[in-house]
Amino acid sequence: MATKTSIPSSQSPKLSRLRPQYIPNHIPDSSYVRILDTTLRDGEQSPGATMTAKEKLDIARQLVKLGVDIIQPGFPSASNSDFMAVKMIAQEVGNAVGDDGYVPVIASFCRCVEKDIATAWEAVKYAKRPRLCTSIATSPIHMEHKLRKSKDQVIQIARDMVKFARSLGCNDIQFGAEDATRSDREFLYEILGVVIEAGATTVNIADTVGIVMPLELGKLIVDIKDNTPGIANVIISTHCHNDLGLATANTIEGARTGARQLEVTINGIGERAGNASLEEVVMVLASKGDHALNGLYTRINTRHILETSKMVEEYSGMHLQPHKPLVGANAFVHASGIHQDGMLKHKGTYETISPEEIGHKRTTRIGIVLGKLSGSQALRKRLEELGYDLKEDEVDSVFRQFKAMAEKKKVVTDVDLKALVSHKACHAESIWKLGGLQVTCGTIGLSTATVKLVNIDGSTHVACSIGIGAVDSTYKAINLVVKEPTKLLDYSLNSVTEGIGVNVTARVVICRENNHTSTYAFTEDANYPTFSGIAAEMDVVVSTAKAYLVALNKLLRWKESFRCA
Ligand code: MN
């Protein structure tokens, strides 16, 4: 492949256009589209994607580099850990004002319940631009079977709760109509009119179950604009799910017909089949905004898309399919002879978006080379370039591991570094750490593992177990110490670098094996939250043990902090 080339100016992100001044209920430039990222709230609701508060903070900082207008970092009433994450992000990220005055709005999610709203405000009020996003279902099926409330009752609750949010001192209030796309039109106009009068500044139209088509969503937005009292004084938002693979298309149609806030997630993670993906929506606007969408634009710095995508992939444990648009491993790889021939003659033959524009590097091997002679400054710089904003002692700690790795293998790649950092982040709050491991395995005799685990209180615990192979005996030995019944749902190994001196990344997904179910779901099915762990080491069994501990620690922390459904 060719070396790095300059990007045609016509494809550059439109950063020459300024980000309009932030006013909750009004955007001074009618072509500007706000991006609300809900990776840390709806995205985290993906099965297996539970993130620690520290991981959320890292991602929030990365979202700032990306320039998202609004970050929705969590649902404070759901757990202590989410409360802490929202508070920490509001305090740190929500107060870091850029040179151009940009500071993201921090949006705290809550149901239309007084206690939820008060808790959400308690967590988010520290931000320079705090927002409360309160939501209630408006469709007949949800009101009748889930809320068990009449239309009048739901309207009353919505009005009271928006007023309550305002009474706390919040002047940026988003009202979400859950399952709006299956709601009765007249009722929707009425309830939106009521919350606007009560003080809502953004109204969110959620396609909660991912059932509409672009044509239908566009018509809905137009109808809302035509029939809702006071709608001209607020921002219309969309929140689309991907159950039929239409989330991006629906979101774009929403913007085309008048929505000026789009709710999206990195890599499209989220409940069930996920949400509209930030990278797809933003790149559609970047490449088609001028030609097909009347000049609509965002201020997302698209060059940071890829590194953000990678960070979310690692922290959430949600692996990308290779053919994921824009950020998948194959998204810009041309395999057939005819295509390659065309690409060599002119890139425009098969490439309409330049990969550099979203942060890909046009090299076969990505990244600069760090080795055992590299110093901590080089490491710090590279980590910054990769999107990690680490404190002094964190860099020192990564540096020690980096040195140890560089002793064993000649070149430490970006992928290795990311594995090291995500490993650290995961371990920031760990209850159990691996103190030592000894495994005997093979075809003679039983596989035996001895593990030494160090508890957060400093105590050391040793256990020994036999099992079917090295991994099984190791997990059994860990279980003897931790005593938390778990079920292994998924286990995979990836060698991330070439050659014999490889760093092996292990990924495990576990769930609790007992009768305690969470009650997020409205179904009667048991809903087991799942937890993933990733770890990279030179030794396969060691990385496997560490990955298991990462997942176990998340599970234990979750258990501690889970207060209500
Ligand atoms: Mn959702």
Side-chain angles (χ1 to χ4, degrees), residues 38 41-43 45 109 206-209 239-241 263 270-272 274-275:
T38 184
R41 202 275 299 171
D42 208 323
Q45 288 173 220
F109 188 80
D207 185 26
T208 304
V209 293
H239 178 105
C240 298
H241 276 272
E263 299 202 356
E271 284 269 6
R272 304 184 312 278
N275 290 64

Side-chain angles (χ1 to χ4, degrees), residues 152 154-163 175 187-200 203 228-230:
D152 288 345
V154 171
I155 287 191
Q156 187 63 42
I157 292 169
R159 180 194 287 117
D160 291 350
M161 290 306 105
V162 169
K163 281 188 175 164
F175 173 81
F187 178 66
L188 201 52
Y189 308 148
E190 189 186 349
I191 194 167
L192 292 178
V194 163
V195 296
I196 292 167
E197 209 200 333
V203 292
T228 305

Side-chain angles (χ1 to χ4, degrees), residues 342-362:
M343 283 296 290
L344 289 171
K345 288 171 178 156
H346 191 291
K347 287 207 289 290
T349 51
Y350 289 98
E351 192 175 279
T352 56
I353 291 172
S354 144
E356 286 91 343
E357 203 180 331
I358 56 170
H360 288 275
K361 295 197 175 69
R362 210 181 279 273

Side-chain angles (χ1 to χ4, degrees), residues 50 52-53 76-84 428-432 455-457 482 484 512 516 529 531 551-564:
T50 315
T52 65
S77 292
S79 69
N80 260 336
S81 147
D82 240 24
F83 181 90
M84 291 315 295
E429 306 167 301
S430 57
I431 295 167
W432 292 101
N455 189 269
I456 195 165
D457 67 12
V482 178
E484 177 68 33
R512 298 179 74 199
H516 298 283
F531 303 86
L552 258 179
N553 278 311
K554 283 189 186 177
L555 187 155
L556 295 169
R557 285 294 185 198
W558 173 86
K559 221 175 99 182
E560 262 179 23
S561 69
F562 205 78
R563 292 198 310 230
C564 68

Side-chain angles (χ1 to χ4, degrees), residues 440-453:
T440 319
C441 63
T443 54
I444 303 164
L446 290 166
S447 293
T448 311
T450 308
V451 296
K452 183 163 89 179
L453 297 185

Side-chain angles (χ1 to χ4, degrees), residues 299-540:
R299 273 282 296 183
I300 296 299
N301 190 343
T302 62
R303 305 288 169 102
H304 292 297
I305 283 178
L306 186 69
E307 67 192 27
T308 313
S309 162
K310 296 273 180 223
M311 185 185 273
V312 170
E313 184 178 15
E314 290 204 24
Y315 284 1
S316 69
M318 302 278 290
H319 281 203
L320 288 186
Q321 79 231 32
H323 57 289
K324 169 79 179 67
L326 303 160
V327 290
N330 292 348
F332 292 96
V333 175
H334 306 272
S336 91
I338 294 170
H339 289 217
Q340 287 179 347
D341 177 57
M343 283 296 290
L344 289 171
K345 288 171 178 156
H346 191 291
K347 287 207 289 290
T349 51
Y350 289 98
E351 192 175 279
T352 56
I353 291 172
S354 144
E356 286 91 343
E357 203 180 331
I358 56 170
H360 288 275
K361 295 197 175 69
R362 210 181 279 273
T363 51
T364 47
R365 189 78 65 99
I366 295 172
I368 63 161
V369 172
L370 286 173
K372 64 178 176 182
L373 298 177
S374 307
S376 65
Q377 282 317 307
L379 175 70
R380 173 194 309 278
K381 181 145 191 318
R382 191 64 202 138
L383 289 171
E384 272 171 24
E385 286 165 2
L386 291 173
Y388 297 104
D389 186 5
L390 301 183
K391 295 202 181 73
E392 199 71 33
D393 57 323
E394 291 170 327
V395 175
D396 289 347
S397 150
V398 173
F399 185 62
R400 279 194 297 277
Q401 289 197 320
F402 159 75
K403 278 299 212 192
M405 187 187 280
E407 285 295 324
K408 295 184 204 156
K409 60 200 290 276
K410 282 201 187 100
V411 175
V412 179
T413 65
D414 289 354
V415 183
D416 294 328
L417 285 181
K418 285 177 182 177
L420 282 181
V421 178
S422 72
H423 183 58
K424 279 244 86 68
C426 294
H427 274 230
E429 306 167 301
S430 57
I431 295 167
W432 292 101
K433 281 185 186 164
L434 188 66
L437 172 65
Q438 174 77 59
V439 177
T440 319
C441 63
T443 54
I444 303 164
L446 290 166
S447 293
T448 311
T450 308
V451 296
K452 183 163 89 179
L453 297 185
V454 184
N455 189 269
I456 195 165
D457 67 12
S459 60
T460 299
H461 305 250
V462 178
C464 178
S465 176
I466 54 168
I468 310 159
V471 172
D472 186 51
S473 51
T474 301
Y475 282 10
K476 282 184 172 147
I478 291 173
N479 289 342
L480 285 175
V481 176
V482 178
K483 297 188 181 69
E484 177 68 33
T486 63
K487 197 160 117 192
L488 187 64
L489 300 174
D490 194 13
Y491 168 62
S492 62
L493 289 174
N494 247 318
S495 102
V496 292
T497 36
E498 289 167 29
I500 275 289
V502 295
N503 205 19
V504 178
T505 300
R507 174 179 184 265
V508 302
V509 180
I510 60 172
C511 72
R512 298 179 74 199
E513 194 176 42
N514 56 26
N515 296 324
H516 298 283
T517 59
S518 86
T519 46
Y520 282 127
F522 307 123
T523 66
E524 281 162 27
D525 294 339
N527 176 24
Y528 293 95
T530 59
F531 303 86
S532 65
I534 293 181
E537 287 290 331
M538 304 288 288
D539 184 290
V540 174

